[in-house]
């Protein structure tokens, strides 16, 4: 695959979006120059410098590691326009003012390299009109690029060509956004608000209309339109508060100003309650009040009839909640036929979504694929509107929607397009088929984009109807038990996929990983530990061990703990390279599996940590032995330094249950090391991990030699314990936290031995096991374990 070489990117505009786009470029190690206007007073780069400093304070953090803000180069147009000549991609992200953007293009045009792509990050302005302001030679290298906020976390990027944009420019930019930035790209037509905001904001407006019609409060609507419907947990009104009511109003105004002929135009009127809040300066979360307001620890919601805030907390009726758990066909039938106002409301907003998407598909997108992916990636939906419609029974749902249109219940009297009822879509039973997704313009199913970059995604994101194989059913299976599948996709590399909930480590997982190493050593170049969802492993399965503990106590757990530790060492000293392909959560035992592998390939959004203290335990699968060994290795590389200095970071990470909130931060904590690979796109993880195994095997990889290493000893343990005493006596930690911290210190320092004593990993694991099992008998630990099993939340006692 030949990639468009992006040596440096310029981002024009250091506002909220521009600065965060620059931050994400730094996350993926792309050099970036952030431009803005020169400051009128003081240093000319003051505007950009302030924006860069602000990135360190934002939550959730736009930076994988806050210190990386230093890698964003500050610039202003007066002094640094020459820097643009060295940029291969220029992303304009200034305010949504056509005149300002056009003036900026005129200003930068003389400095843009002949090969550079220029893209505007706009949420709705005409890309074609913007491109017309550029010199003729630049127009073919210009397009729209719409990131969603916050750019680090939101997967969606919309690319919008003009009539003059060269096709290969879009291909190059889609490849860069996919594999380098880790985004899910959707190509949109140059229509107002493009795809996601057009459909999404229309859906939010429809929800507000239907909520008022059915007499539902904001909190009840948010409970209904959040996770219960497979959407973002913030629902509708809370989402509006987070986005910003002024931002939402701006998108609505674009629709009002540009969509006069739209059959849904009447629904684009700004809701009176929204207009009223904006007039009062209540712009949502950023102003402290919107549809909701937080007072102390209490969340209040606006009562529009009273014009005042009242206690929130309204929930969906249990009967409606049960309906929403049914399979799609049964669910929609129950909702439509129910007399419950909440059920009627949910049916109404789903009907409105189906109706709107079908009427506008030909106008806004090349195929239904782009609409469903845009809503998934931009609005956090589990299924896009066409997917749900198809899953529920295309013809039946189409008939229900038609009946509602004919009887005046729908928000518009526009009929559904003819292709809904006749031709290939009707015959197939939906817009998505094994041949691709329906294109009204071409009157056929269009296959997915054939760009080479997508060959790196062995199991790409799929849609209902595409009939894509389940990753856990493909390849050649070599071993399987109730919690793990061991298989090969290509006959060269073996893959172990944990299949149980949250990929918790049970005795069956331990058995399966041992079997996987055995098979890999016999027949394959190496082993990858990978599972096709957002959890690598959330830790040990305490519940699975409960019957053993109840029958035999901690003495019954000790042998199981020994098996787990032996399995970790088997991974570390396997005769073939073992690579952990990490995505999402890698906590506790999941972290321990990863650190014992020969290499780690981690998705950017991988959250790694030893969190056992949350259940009143210490790491017992070799995690503390790893911390001690790593400290010894680091100290050996810096002769004359104190071992405790290298041990402190790892000790604190385990004792405080620190979790790296990105792969970059996890590397800083020591759970990823130099040589490990960070992958921006989650669906490229397996491809890269398999490539790493093959490269290591081809290079003649050998496991590390078993060796003894020095520990910090009793003196270092005494130093740590003195600090723990001060924290306990100062009320910063509980007595049981002190007990746990002391146990961790005992293990990582090597127990009651002199500083510099040489020990083995097995010796430290024995210490781990002793403390782990003793803690199981402690009443405070038992309280924490039961609290976690019952509520899913840690107990601080």
């Amino acid at each position: 695959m030949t990639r468009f070489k992006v040596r440096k990117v310029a981002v024009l505009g250091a506002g909220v979006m521009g600065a965060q786009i620059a931050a994400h470029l730094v996350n993926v190690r792309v050099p970036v120059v952030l431009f803005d206007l020169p400051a009128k007073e003081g240093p000319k780069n003051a505007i950009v410098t302030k924006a860069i400093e602000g990135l360190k304070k934002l939550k959730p953090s736009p930076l994988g590691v806050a210190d990386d803000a230093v890698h964003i180069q500050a610039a202003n147009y007066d002094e640094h326009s020459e820097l643009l000549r060295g940029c291969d991609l220029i992303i304009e992200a200034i305010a949504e003012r056509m005149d300002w953007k056009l003036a900026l293009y005129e200003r930068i045009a003389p400095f843009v390299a002949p090969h550079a792509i220029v893209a505007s990050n706009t949420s709705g302005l005409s890309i074609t009109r913007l491109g017309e302001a550029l010199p003729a030679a630049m127009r073919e290298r210009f397009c729209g690029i719409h990131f969603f906020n916050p750019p680090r976390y939101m997967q969606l990027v919309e690319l919008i060509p003009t009539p003059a944009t060269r096709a290969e420019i879009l291909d190059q930019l889609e490849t860069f956004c996919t594999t380098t930035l880790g985004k899910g790209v959707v190509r949109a037509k140059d229509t107002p608000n493009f795809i996601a905001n057009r459909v999404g904001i229309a859906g939010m407006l429809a929800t507000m209309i239907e909520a008022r019609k059915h007499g539902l409060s904001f909190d009840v609507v948010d409970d209904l339109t959040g996770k219960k419907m497979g959407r973002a947990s913030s629902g509708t009104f809370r989402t509006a508060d987070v986005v910003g009511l002024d931002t939402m109003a701006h998108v609505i105004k674009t629709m009002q100003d540009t969509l006069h002929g739209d059959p849904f135009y009447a629904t684009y009127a700004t809701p009176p309650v929204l207009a009223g809040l904006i007039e009062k300066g209540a712009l949502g979360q950023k102003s402290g009040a919107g549809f909701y307001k937080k007072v102390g620890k209490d969340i209040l919601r606006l009562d529009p009839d009273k014009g005042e805030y009242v206690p929130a907390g309204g929930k969906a009726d249990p009967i409606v909640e049960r309906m929403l758990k049914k399979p799609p066909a049964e669910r929609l039938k129950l909702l439509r036929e129910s007399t419950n106002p909440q059920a009627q409301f949910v049916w109404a907003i789903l009907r409105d979504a189906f109706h709107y998407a079908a009427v506008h598909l030909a106008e806004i997108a090349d195929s239904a694929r782009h609409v469903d992916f845009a809503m998934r990636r931009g609005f956090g939906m589990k299924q896009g509107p066409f997917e749900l419609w198809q899953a529920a029974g295309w013809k039946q749902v189409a008939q229900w929607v038609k009946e509602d249109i004919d009887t005046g219940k729908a928000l518009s009297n526009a009929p559904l397009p003819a292709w809904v009822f006749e031709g290939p879509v009707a015959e197939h039973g939906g817009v998505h088929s094994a041949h691709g997704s329906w294109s009204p313009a071409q009157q056929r199913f269009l296959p997915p984009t054939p760009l080479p970059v997508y060959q790196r995604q062995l199991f790409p994101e799929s849609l209902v109807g595409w009939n894509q194989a389940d990753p856990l059913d493909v390849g050649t299976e070599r071993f399987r038990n109730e919690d793990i599948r061991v298989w090969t996709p290509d006959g060269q590399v073996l893959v172990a996929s944990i299949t149980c909930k949250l990929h918790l480590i049970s005795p069956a997982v331990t058995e399966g990983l041992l079997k996987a190493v055995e098979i890999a050593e016999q027949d394959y170049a190496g082993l990858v530990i990978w599972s096709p969802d957002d959890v690598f492993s959330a830790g040990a399965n305490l519940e699975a061990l409960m019957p053993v503990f109840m029958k035999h106590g901690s003495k019954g757990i000790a042998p199981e703990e020994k098996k787990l530790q032996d399995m970790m060492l088997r991974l570390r000293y396997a005769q073939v390279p073992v690579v952990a392909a990490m995505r999402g959560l890698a906590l506790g035992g999941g972290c321990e599996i990863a650190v014992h592998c020969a290499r780690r390939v981690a998705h950017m959004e991988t959250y790694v940590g030893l969190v056992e203290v949350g259940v009143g335990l210490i790491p017992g699968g070799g995690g503390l032995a790893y911390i001690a060994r790593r400290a010894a290795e680091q100290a050996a590389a810096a002769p004359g330094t104190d071992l405790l200095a290298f041990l402190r970071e790892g000790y604190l990470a385990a004792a405080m249950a620190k979790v790296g909130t990105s792969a970059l931060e996890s590397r800083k904590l020591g759970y990823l090391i130099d040589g490990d690979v960070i992958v921006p796109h989650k669906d490229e993880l397996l491809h890269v991990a398999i490539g790493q195994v093959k490269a290591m095997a081809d290079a003649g990889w050998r496991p590390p030699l078993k060796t003894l290493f020095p520990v910090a000893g009793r003196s270092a343990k005494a130093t740590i314990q003195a600090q723990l005493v001060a924290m306990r006596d100062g009320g910063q930690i509980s007595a049981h936290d002190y007990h746990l911290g002391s146990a961790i210190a005992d293990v990582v320092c090597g127990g009651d031995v002199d500083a510099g004593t040489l020990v083995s990993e097995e010796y430290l694991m024995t210490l781990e096991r002793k403390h782990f099992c003793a803690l199981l008998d402690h009443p405070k630990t038992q309280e924490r374990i039961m609290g976690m099993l019952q509520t899913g939340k840690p107990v601080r006692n």
Side-chain angles (χ1 to χ4, degrees):
M1 183 183 78
T2 303
R3 297 185 189 175
F4 174 58
K5 300 294 189 297
V6 179
R7 295 161 297 174
K8 185 177 285 188
V9 175
V11 177
L12 312 182
V16 173
M17 284 300 291
Q20 292 199 52
I21 291 169
H24 188 59
L25 287 161
V26 166
N27 289 338
V28 296
R29 298 305 185 249
V30 175
V32 59
V33 187
L34 180 60
F35 280 85
D36 212 304
L37 296 168
K40 294 178 181 178
E41 297 179 0
K44 286 198 171 184
N45 278 343
I47 293 173
V48 178
T49 301
K50 182 179 179 182
I52 293 172
E53 285 301 307
L55 291 170
K56 301 176 186 177
K57 303 169 187 172
L58 287 177
K59 298 294 180 186
S61 176
L63 291 157
V65 176
D67 293 346
D68 280 350
V70 71
H71 297 301
I72 302 174
Q73 185 177 354
N76 67 78
Y77 304 116
D78 279 4
E79 298 177 307
H80 306 115
S81 291
E82 285 288 339
L83 292 173
L84 292 170
R85 299 188 193 278
C87 296
D88 305 297
L89 171 62
I90 298 169
I91 300 172
E92 171 271 304
I94 68 171
E96 294 283 278
R97 282 274 300 268
M98 180 73 72
D99 54 339
W100 291 0
K101 289 178 185 283
L102 297 181
L104 179 59
Y105 295 171
E106 186 175 344
R107 185 172 189 170
I108 67 166
F111 304 98
V112 176
H115 70 283
I117 296 174
V118 181
S120 175
N121 179 69
T122 174
S123 61
L125 295 180
S126 170
I127 301 300
T128 300
R129 189 175 163 197
L130 287 171
E132 289 168 352
L134 294 168
M138 286 175 58
R139 289 176 195 166
E140 63 180 16
R141 293 179 282 112
F142 176 77
C143 64
I145 183 170
H146 182 207
F147 288 86
F148 270 59
N149 192 20
R152 171 185 163 187
Y153 301 96
M154 296 300 289
Q155 196 191 7
L156 179 63
V157 165
E158 293 176 312
L159 295 184
I160 310 98
T162 75
T165 307
R166 287 205 325 262
E168 60 264 34
I169 294 297
L170 264 290
D171 290 349
Q172 290 170 346
L173 195 51
E174 181 165 351
T175 298
F176 173 74
C177 288
T178 301
T179 201
T180 303
L181 300 187
K183 298 303 175 187
V185 173
V186 161
R187 294 198 186 186
K189 294 185 178 181
D190 188 13
T191 56
N193 295 331
F194 313 129
I195 297 175
N197 273 345
R198 176 74 175 273
V199 176
I201 297 299
M204 292 178 75
L205 288 170
T207 298
M208 292 178 182
I209 292 169
E210 300 289 2
R212 189 71 176 166
K213 190 187 299 183
H214 290 86
L216 303 182
S217 61
F218 302 150
D219 48 358
V220 169
V221 169
D222 282 350
D223 191 51
L224 285 166
T225 60
K227 287 187 175 180
K228 291 181 173 65
M229 284 182 65
R231 299 181 179 184
S233 58
S234 51
T236 301
F237 293 98
R238 177 64 183 148
T239 295
D241 273 357
V242 171
V243 169
L245 304 191
D246 52 340
T247 302
M248 183 177 177
H250 171 78
V251 178
I252 294 170
K253 190 173 187 307
T254 301
M255 300 168 87
Q256 294 168 350
D257 292 345
T258 57
L259 295 173
H260 294 284
D262 191 312
F264 287 78
Y265 186 79
T267 67
Y268 302 155
T270 305
V273 64
L274 177 62
L277 286 167
I278 293 172
E279 188 178 342
K280 294 175 184 175
L283 305 180
Q285 184 171 277
K286 60 187 172 187
S287 68
F291 291 110
Y292 294 92
K293 180 168 71 172
K294 189 173 184 180
V295 179
K297 294 184 178 180
D298 297 326
I299 303 294
L300 307 180
R301 66 166 174 86
L302 180 67
D303 183 326
D305 295 325
K306 295 179 180 177
E308 60 187 44
Y309 289 92
V310 300
K315 298 290 184 183
D317 288 346
I319 190 171
V320 179
E321 191 171 352
R322 288 196 293 273
M323 291 180 193
L324 292 174
K325 293 178 180 177
K326 300 291 185 183
E330 185 180 358
R331 183 193 321 157
L332 266 59
K333 184 175 189 296
L334 288 169
L335 291 167
R336 187 171 188 269
E337 294 177 353
S338 174
T339 57
N340 183 293
Q342 292 184 15
Q344 292 175 344
F345 159 77
V346 174
W347 160 251
I349 63 172
L350 291 174
R351 173 205 63 215
D352 297 339
F354 302 151
H355 188 192
Y356 192 91
V359 168
H360 292 93
L361 174 57
E363 174 191 354
I364 64 176
D366 287 333
S367 78
R369 163 184 178 268
H370 296 289
V371 173
D372 280 344
F373 276 150
M375 299 314 295
R376 274 195 194 182
R377 297 164 177 170
F379 278 79
M381 293 184 175
K382 198 173 265 186
Q383 288 184 310
F386 289 119
E387 279 190 286
L388 177 57
W389 181 350
Q390 183 164 336
W394 185 266
K395 292 181 180 178
Q396 178 61 77
V397 174
Q399 185 58 40
W400 286 340
V401 174
K402 181 180 183 302
E403 289 173 12
D404 281 10
I405 296 169
D406 294 344
T407 55
K409 294 178 182 177
L411 294 181
S412 168
N413 60 7
L416 290 171
W419 54 261
V420 170
F421 297 102
E422 56 195 44
V425 171
E427 292 165 10
H428 175 71
V431 292
H432 303 302
S433 75
H435 303 292
S437 298
W438 181 250
S439 169
Q442 298 190 37
Q443 289 290 296
R444 67 186 181 96
F445 293 102
L446 295 184
T449 307
L451 286 178
V453 69
Y454 292 113
Q455 294 172 13
R456 296 168 58 84
Q457 300 181 12
L458 303 186
F459 301 102
E461 191 176 353
S462 184
L463 292 167
V464 166
W466 278 7
N467 301 327
Q468 187 168 297
D470 186 326
L472 295 179
D473 289 332
V474 301
T476 302
E477 190 170 293
R478 295 297 310 272
F479 174 82
R480 189 167 199 153
N481 64 26
E482 63 269 29
D483 287 346
I484 199 166
R485 180 181 189 242
V486 179
W487 58 285
T488 177
D490 60 2
Q492 300 176 60
V493 174
L494 197 65
V495 178
S497 299
I498 305 174
T499 57
C500 52
K501 184 179 179 181
L502 295 176
H503 306 161
L504 297 175
I505 302 165
S506 64
V509 170
T510 299
E511 175 203 14
L513 289 175
L514 286 169
K515 188 69 176 177
V517 172
E518 179 188 327
I519 297 170
E521 287 178 336
Q522 290 174 355
D523 301 324
Y524 297 93
L527 171 67
V528 173
I529 303 173
W530 170 87
S531 299
D533 54 29
D534 285 324
V535 181
F536 178 71
S537 171
N541 189 336
L542 297 175
E543 202 166 0
L545 294 173
M546 193 62 70
V548 177
F549 179 74
M550 295 300 290
K551 187 173 182 180
H552 301 290
S554 60
K555 290 181 180 178
I557 299 298
E560 296 300 327
E561 195 66 11
K562 177 71 162 57
K563 289 177 187 175
L564 178 67
Q565 292 174 336
D566 289 346
M567 182 269 289
M568 299 295 180
L569 293 175
R570 186 78 173 90
L571 294 177
R572 175 164 164 76
Y573 295 105
Q575 295 303 304
V576 292
V578 180
V579 172
M582 306 159 69
R583 172 177 159 191
L585 301 178
L587 305 177
C591 173
E592 290 171 316
I593 287 175
V595 299
H596 283 89
C597 290
R599 185 164 295 171
R600 286 137 295 279
V601 175
H603 176 231
M604 179 67 70
E605 298 304 324
T606 303
Y607 306 97
V608 190
L610 296 170
V611 296
E612 285 84 354
V613 295
V615 288
L617 293 168
I618 66 167
L624 299 182
Y626 166 79
I627 289 171
R629 174 174 58 78
R630 280 286 297 153
E633 291 168 351
Q634 290 171 309
T641 55
D642 181 11
L643 177 55
L644 181 57
F646 295 99
L647 189 62
R648 185 172 285 110
E649 183 77 30
Y651 168 79
L652 288 173
M656 299 177 67
K658 283 187 182 178
V659 175
T661 55
S662 69
L664 296 171
E665 191 177 4
S666 297
R667 174 176 276 161
K668 192 174 179 182
L669 291 174
Y671 298 132
L672 272 67
I673 61 175
D674 292 343
D676 290 339
V677 181
I678 296 175
V679 178
H681 200 294
K682 59 184 176 60
D683 292 336
E684 294 186 1
L685 196 61
L686 182 57
H687 167 84
V688 174
I690 288 173
Q692 289 290 310
V693 165
K694 290 179 178 178
M696 293 164 76
D698 286 347
W701 182 90
R702 295 288 304 168
L705 295 172
K706 284 197 174 188
T707 184
L708 302 179
F709 50 87
V711 288
R714 65 174 72 86
S715 58
K717 177 187 172 184
T719 300
I720 293 172
Q721 281 195 295
Q723 295 170 341
L724 289 172
V725 168
M727 293 174 70
R728 181 195 63 195
D729 294 348
Q732 294 172 274
I733 60 174
S734 70
H736 196 50
D737 289 327
Y738 168 81
H739 185 56
L740 292 165
S742 298
I744 292 172
D746 188 56
V747 178
V748 298
C749 293
D752 188 19
V753 298
D754 294 335
T757 299
L758 298 179
V759 303
S760 67
E761 289 164 294
E762 288 88 347
Y763 167 81
L764 292 175
M765 286 183 175
T766 301
L767 278 180
E768 271 187 2
R769 198 162 64 248
K770 181 189 80 172
H771 284 294
F772 185 93
C773 291
L775 283 165
L776 282 172
D777 293 324
H778 198 294
K780 293 290 186 182
T781 287
Q782 292 171 8
E783 283 179 21
R784 291 193 184 189
I785 292 174
M786 293 310 297
M788 179 63 75
L789 291 176
Q790 290 169 3
T791 68
K793 297 178 181 178
V795 175
R796 307 309 300 180
N797 56 357

